[in-house]
Amino acid sequence: MKISARYSHLLFSGVLSVIMVTVISGSVVFFTQGLTPEFLHSWFKGFATAWPVAFPTLLIVAPLVKKFVARLTVPA
């Protein structure tokens, strides 16, 4: 099943935010608490707190960053 290109920005922001928040929240929990029995619970709690902030931020910021980068680069 393919998704319409009309939704590519939404899909991009969703996938990227899930990846980034998973890596960052996991890293923060690991470096602050270590591998404790509560690690997965703390990781999920951090993810659940950060993702609702990260996803809309990417929806707004990603197009602006793409335009900024386009101004700094030349086509290949």
Side-chain angles (χ1 to χ4, degrees):
M1 178 180 97
K2 293 261 186 168
I3 298 171
S4 171
R6 175 175 25 166
Y7 302 108
S8 63
H9 177 61
L10 187 64
L11 186 59
F12 172 83
S13 296
V15 171
L16 184 59
S17 64
V18 166
I19 293 169
M20 288 182 59
V21 171
T22 299
V23 171
I24 298 301
S25 62
S27 299
V28 169
V29 172
F30 177 76
F31 289 120
T32 58
Q33 298 179 8
L35 285 176
T36 65
E38 296 84 27
F39 176 79
L40 290 178
H41 175 74
S42 297
W43 188 356
F44 180 75
K45 186 176 176 184
F47 179 92
T49 303
W51 188 78
V53 175
F55 179 60
T57 300
L58 270 171
L59 283 174
I60 295 166
V61 173
L64 301 173
V65 172
K66 285 182 181 182
K67 288 179 185 176
F68 177 70
V69 169
R71 288 183 180 194
L72 295 176
T73 59
V74 295

